[in-house]
Amino acid sequence: MNRFTGTIICMMAGVLAMAQQVYELDMPVKEKTIYSGHLKLGGSNPSGERIEVNSYYMSVGGKPVIPVMGEFHYSRYPECQWEEEILKMKAGGVTVIPTYVFWSIHEEKEGVFNWEGNRNLRKFLSLCQKHNMWTVVRIGPFCHGEIRNGGLPDWLFAKPLEIRSNDANYLKYVKRLYEEIGRQLEGLYYKDGGTIIGTQIENEHQHSAAPWGITYPGEPKDMTSATYDANITMIGVSVQDKKITTADLGDLHMKTLKKMAEEAGIQTPLYTATGWGNAAVIGEEAIPVTAAYTYPFWAKPGMSPFCMFKDIQKNPDYAPVRYDTEKYPSFCAEMGVGIQMIYTRRPIVTAKAAEALMVRTLGSGANGIGYYMYHGGSTPKMGPTAFFSDEPMGMPKISYDFQAPLGEFGLEHGSYRALRLLHLFLNDFSSQLAPMETVLPKGYEQMTPDNRETLRYAARVKGKSGFVFMVNFQDHDTARVDQKDLCLRLKFADETLRIPSQGTFTLPKDESLILPFNFQMEDALLKYATAQLLLKLDDKGMDHYFFFVPGGIRPKFVFDKTTVAGKHCYTPEAGLKSTFMVKTSGGKRFKVTTLTREQALNACKVDGKLLITSSMVLPEAGRVRLLNMGDPVFRYVEYPSAKGFKEQMKEVPSVQPEYTFRKVGSRRLAVRFSGKEYPQVNDYFLQLDYTGDVAMAFLKGELVLDHFYYGAPWKISLKRFQQELTDEELSFYIRPLWKNAPFLSDLPGEAVPDFSKGSVARVDSVQVVPQYVTTLAW
């Protein structure tokens, strides 16, 4: 080699090194200590299966599990549609449904409890049990939940007592409430063979409160807290920076409430209590749960720290906290993958934001994830003109859509499928992930939310096996770019694993990614894959693993040569034709298929089968129902089946909805609809494309729905109004939108109209769309 050639080679090597962005992780030499027996939690069912909790994770029948909890309020949804919504949640990968029991809704009149209709808690929990969905009952007495008075009845305001304290008079009413709830839950507990596995005691005690609904315009808010806690009461979830001098009273009150619940028969393996923001907890008797809201309506908009990796067990979000973090697993019970809108603030949470938040949270060590809300609803009314909604906070009078994965009328927001990618993974692989500890890069503490250049990453590892978590998203930041020429270097005591072994990869803008390394597949060892693990099937007695990749990433699978027979490296083209077979050195075989991200978003697992469809899926025993908005043609891939990965199609007769509408000026509209029933139609949805401030819907002169404008069409289920609509019009009033509206900065640019001619109130289109239904039998 001459000097010139050598110089060129050295220069090329230097340029290559500069181009590569190498990110390292030093893997721990000693594994994390996980201990048990210190928490007064756990319990068995009649079959002998046991739920237990150690210092790091929950287990069922001795197997680690990461529960996926999705909040759904039965009292905010029509009773006749509960079962359908539970099935949608199940298809979304949710395994636990928490629900609030709002005291005020059940005892609106003192001494008269109502458990009928949409308030039928027992029926709701029985339906969850029918479909093997675990439940957590949030019994209050204070619930918050954007309900008037935080769920405390109006009549309680008139009593000479200290709410949310150990005042004997207050506890007398709480005791009556708990005994009523206990009667509704009887026989449905885990210990009885039921699916109620948890109870939440109170909510945000000594952290947050709601304004009393009995108020006067312009006056300061009078908050629902004990008088001695008035100076520390906050609105919403945030860091508590005030000194709490009455902590002993708060802790004592929480212990008292738990004892009262147990005495009322409310006995579950798990108890939880708010852990964030220095809230009062129940030492070693309840799991302190955490929260994170990237788009809170109660705070000024700005980049949050919740897309930054950390050790979330040691350093919970909204710290400081009032408990020893090393004693409890990190259960994130209120993850804001949506948010409620108030009149003055209308923040919008995207699917990418929701996914990034959860990838970051899992990578940071969370071993329980829960969403507030996972399913939206409609807050009930107190009478013809009075509302249970938290009106002093500027809430809609009825709408509680929350931009949840499943919205007010059971329709999907984009986050539903984005989050299902993670839920499918957890449903099949949480036993491997749960014991894995978080490993962070050196200097991670110096990372700031406005840093767009440095990769955000962490790993979870046990032994030498684990997953790398990466996020290229930041809330309130629209200037992020693709992160290119990346490679990871995982340093163990006896080897350094480079991902990829040659070349680099790109993490596209706003994408999040989880990559496996040293992952055991049968008796073969996958050294790494540049694809995200999705789920696993039993394919006629053979394991079949499914991965997926976002656009811009080429999948590569590299196996330990000593553990496979023949080929050890695969670079398939993502799609339904990507399947390859691996034969292990021990003679076993398994399959690997890599889906595109779009295919993965349409994937769900039902009865051990993979179903890929753009339709909404409702899984039932031996069959599924599919729902399509406006399209009578259902397309799906069912695997395994005789058709393999071939797309199948089923068509139902199309329907032309019968409706008329008339505009009265620019602000008023009336719709008349004849909802003829067809077996192939599950529901009809009225879609209203409008521009305005607030839209309101009326039936028989009463407000039945409302909607805060944020640029998206208003889609309304007509099933719940079907009887009234046979001889009544649904009328609308659109309040004009003004150029000085306080929330315009929250809206996307295309949603802000031209104000050159003054305020804007207009309806651009009205249509009724059938929601078709068909059934597939296995």
Side-chain angles (χ1 to χ4, degrees):
M1 179 188 299
N2 62 41
R3 182 180 298 177
F4 177 77
T5 304
T7 301
I8 293 297
I9 291 174
C10 290
M11 289 174 62
M12 291 175 63
V15 170
L16 183 61
M18 289 175 62
Q20 293 179 353
Q21 302 293 318
V22 181
Y23 292 94
E24 295 186 343
L25 283 173
D26 292 324
M27 296 300 170
V29 176
K30 183 180 178 181
E31 287 191 5
K32 180 182 181 69
T33 300
I34 299 172
Y35 55 97
S36 59
H38 59 294
L39 300 176
K40 299 174 185 176
L41 294 166
S44 300
N45 66 11
S47 67
E49 178 188 81
R50 184 167 180 80
I51 291 176
E52 296 178 299
V53 181
N54 61 30
S55 63
Y56 198 55
Y57 57 83
M58 168 182 162
S59 62
V60 180
K63 185 177 180 180
V65 64
I66 298 177
V68 179
M69 301 171 282
E71 186 96 4
F72 178 32
H73 297 160
Y74 62 94
S75 58
R76 279 176 156 142
Y77 216 80
E79 173 195 13
C80 61
Q81 295 177 280
W82 284 344
E83 188 165 20
E84 182 173 307
E85 303 313 303
I86 291 167
L87 292 173
K88 291 176 186 176
M89 295 178 73
K90 187 172 186 176
V94 170
T95 57
V96 185
I97 299 180
T99 192
Y100 267 140
V101 182
F102 292 116
W103 185 1
S104 57
I105 289 177
H106 290 288
E107 195 184 1
E108 187 174 354
K109 182 179 179 181
E110 182 180 354
V112 181
F113 281 87
N114 183 354
W115 301 99
E116 301 300 319
N118 297 352
R119 295 167 169 84
N120 194 336
L121 171 61
R122 185 172 184 82
K123 179 178 179 179
F124 176 76
L125 296 172
S126 297
L127 287 171
C128 291
Q129 181 169 318
K130 175 183 175 181
H131 295 289
N132 299 311
M133 294 290 282
W134 283 339
T135 51
V136 173
V137 185
R138 306 178 76 179
I139 63 173
F142 176 77
C143 293
H144 216 174
E146 287 71 57
I147 287 284
R148 180 182 174 93
N149 312 330
L152 301 179
D154 270 14
W155 54 261
L156 201 63
F157 185 74
K159 302 291 183 182
L161 49 77
E162 280 279 22
I163 61 166
R164 303 180 74 184
S165 78
N166 272 13
D167 179 301
N169 202 20
Y170 174 67
L171 293 180
K172 176 183 69 175
Y173 295 109
V174 175
K175 181 175 185 291
R176 185 175 67 188
L177 169 68
Y178 281 7
E179 287 172 347
E180 282 281 339
I181 295 173
R183 281 191 280 274
Q184 298 300 313
L185 308 187
E186 190 174 350
L188 300 177
Y189 300 107
Y190 182 75
K191 65 183 178 64
D192 304 316
T195 54
I196 302 176
I197 64 165
T199 307
Q200 179 177 308
I201 305 296
E202 240 270 352
N203 188 55
E204 298 177 322
H205 189 51
Q206 293 194 313
H207 175 76
S208 184
W212 281 103
I214 301 172
T215 187
Y216 297 92
E219 76 166 354
K221 292 181 175 65
D222 193 3
M223 306 302 287
T224 52
S225 66
T227 305
Y228 57 74
D229 284 336
N231 68 326
I232 60 170
T233 295
M234 310 183 77
I235 293 179
V237 180
S238 54
V239 174
Q240 175 59 275
D241 54 7
K242 296 179 181 178
K243 184 178 181 180
I244 300 177
T245 59
T246 55
D248 55 337
L249 295 178
D251 293 347
L252 178 62
H253 181 53
M254 293 295 288
K255 288 182 179 180
T256 301
L257 291 178
K258 180 173 181 285
K259 183 181 178 187
M260 290 172 61
E262 291 174 323
E263 290 172 347
I266 304 172
Q267 299 173 8
T268 52
L270 306 178
Y271 292 87
T272 67
T274 302
W276 59 82
N278 236 354
V281 296
I282 311 170
E284 300 185 354
E285 297 183 38
I287 300 171
V289 295
T290 65
Y293 290 91
T294 48
Y295 295 86
F297 63 76
W298 55 85
K300 292 181 180 180
M303 296 184 192
S304 81
F306 303 133
C307 294
M308 315 289 294
F309 289 100
K310 63 178 180 178
D311 187 327
I312 205 168
Q313 184 191 33
K314 289 182 180 179
N315 182 23
D317 294 329
Y318 304 112
V321 294
R322 204 188 293 187
Y323 59 93
D324 182 350
T325 61
E326 291 294 326
K327 288 184 176 181
Y328 306 91
S330 177
F331 272 29
C332 305
E334 284 200 17
M335 304 307 287
V337 295
I339 198 65
Q340 180 68 337
M341 294 184 178
I342 62 172
Y343 180 75
T344 56
R345 287 294 320 282
R346 304 183 187 183
I348 297 171
V349 185
T350 65
K352 294 291 189 183
E355 186 179 359
L357 172 65
M358 300 317 299
V359 169
R360 166 269 185 183
T361 301
L362 284 168
S364 295
N367 270 334
I369 58 172
Y371 304 108
Y372 192 97
M373 297 287 293
Y374 186 83
H375 198 307
S378 305
T379 303
K381 297 165 66 174
M382 298 174 71
T385 58
F387 306 90
F388 274 116
S389 180
D390 189 353
E391 293 183 89
M393 284 296 295
M395 300 291 160
K397 295 180 184 298
I398 294 173
S399 177
Y400 200 65
D401 179 81
F402 217 87
Q403 302 172 65
L406 292 169
E408 181 175 6
F409 303 106
L411 295 178
E412 298 179 37
H413 289 298
S415 56
Y416 176 83
R417 294 183 185 234
L419 293 171
R420 187 168 63 184
L421 299 175
L422 303 176
H423 302 164
L424 292 172
F425 166 63
L426 292 176
N427 291 171
D428 281 353
F429 302 105
S430 66
S431 60
Q432 290 100 309
L433 180 63
M436 292 179 174
E437 63 181 293
T438 295
V439 181
L440 297 159
K442 293 177 181 177
Y444 77 93
E445 306 96 328
Q446 280 72 54
M447 177 83 79
T448 56
D450 59 353
N451 183 327
R452 301 187 181 105
E453 293 76 35
T454 308
L455 179 66
R456 300 176 183 187
Y457 69 111
R460 288 186 65 172
V461 62
K462 182 174 176 60
K464 293 179 65 174
S465 178
F467 298 90
V468 178
F469 297 76
M470 293 171 281
V471 168
N472 187 13
F473 176 90
Q474 174 62 53
D475 58 86
H476 299 91
D477 183 3
T478 58
R480 297 193 71 81
V481 296
D482 293 352
Q483 292 184 320
K484 301 179 180 180
D485 300 314
L486 304 176
C487 67
L488 304 168
R489 190 176 292 155
L490 311 182
K491 299 169 72 175
F492 298 91
D494 59 348
E495 76 163 325
T496 296
L497 178 62
R498 191 183 188 280
I499 304 176
S501 55
Q502 294 180 338
T504 61
F505 67 94
T506 294
L507 185 61
K509 171 188 175 182
D510 294 337
E511 290 289 347
S512 303
L513 191 62
I514 306 172
L515 302 181
F517 60 88
N518 289 329
F519 180 71
Q520 201 71 40
M521 301 171 75
E522 288 285 0
D523 55 352
L525 184 67
L526 177 66
K527 293 300 293 180
Y528 73 85
T530 54
Q532 184 164 327
L533 189 56
L534 183 65
L535 57 86
K536 183 173 77 169
L537 296 180
D538 180 340
D539 191 348
K540 300 177 183 178
M542 181 184 297
D543 283 346
H544 194 156
Y545 295 85
F546 287 81
F547 292 74
F548 73 93
V549 287
I553 294 182
R554 180 66 183 267
K556 184 175 184 179
F557 298 82
V558 177
F559 292 88
D560 184 322
K561 294 179 181 179
T562 66
T563 65
V564 295
K567 190 174 180 180
H568 78 285
C569 181
Y570 299 83
T571 55
E573 188 75 32
L576 296 178
K577 296 181 180 180
S578 67
T579 305
F580 60 87
M581 179 92 71
V582 177
K583 183 178 180 181
T584 75
S585 55
K588 297 181 179 180
R589 296 175 185 269
F590 61 87
K591 295 179 182 178
V592 177
T593 298
T594 308
L595 304 177
T596 64
R597 180 178 170 88
E598 182 180 0
Q599 290 165 345
L601 286 170
N602 288 336
C604 66
K605 190 175 178 181
V606 183
D607 288 339
K609 288 179 176 284
L610 171 67
L611 194 62
I612 302 177
T613 178
S614 60
S615 304
M616 171 65 82
V617 176
L618 279 67
E620 300 179 47
R623 66 174 193 167
V624 295
R625 278 184 288 152
L626 301 181
L627 303 178
N628 267 5
M629 281 291 288
D631 187 355
V633 180
F634 297 83
R635 296 175 175 83
Y636 62 94
V637 171
E638 175 194 337
Y639 186 89
S641 72
K643 299 283 188 179
F645 283 119
K646 184 178 179 181
E647 184 180 72
Q648 300 180 61
M649 186 178 72
K650 189 172 181 179
E651 186 171 2
V652 297
S654 63
V655 170
Q656 190 65 38
E658 298 178 12
Y659 69 99
T660 59
F661 67 90
R662 55 192 175 89
K663 296 180 182 180
V664 182
S666 61
R667 302 185 187 183
R668 297 190 182 275
L669 172 77
V671 177
R672 187 171 289 277
F673 170 68
S674 175
K676 187 175 180 180
E677 294 189 18
Y678 296 91
Q680 72 271 33
V681 176
N682 182 64
D683 199 347
Y684 292 95
F685 282 81
L686 173 65
Q687 180 167 309
L688 191 67
D689 287 277
Y690 78 98
T691 303
D693 182 5
V694 177
M696 294 173 281
F698 298 86
L699 259 177
K700 297 182 177 179
E702 291 187 17
L703 180 67
V704 292
L705 297 171
D706 56 353
H707 185 263
F708 285 2
Y709 172 77
Y710 64 100
W714 189 12
K715 298 178 182 179
I716 301 169
S717 165
L718 297 177
K719 179 185 285 187
R720 62 183 66 178
F721 306 116
Q722 189 166 346
Q723 188 172 354
E724 294 94 332
L725 287 173
T726 56
D727 51 17
E728 292 284 337
E729 288 183 322
L730 188 61
S731 62
F732 294 86
Y733 178 69
I734 312 295
R735 290 188 183 276
L737 180 62
W738 297 85
K739 66 178 181 180
N740 59 349
F743 52 81
L744 290 181
S745 61
D746 289 324
L747 307 186
E750 62 272 17
V752 179
D754 178 6
F755 293 108
S756 60
K757 296 182 181 179
S759 63
V760 179
R762 68 169 186 263
V763 176
D764 295 317
S765 69
V766 180
Q767 58 180 321
V768 174
V769 181
Q771 184 186 58
Y772 293 102
V773 61
T774 194
T775 301
L776 305 180
W778 300 133

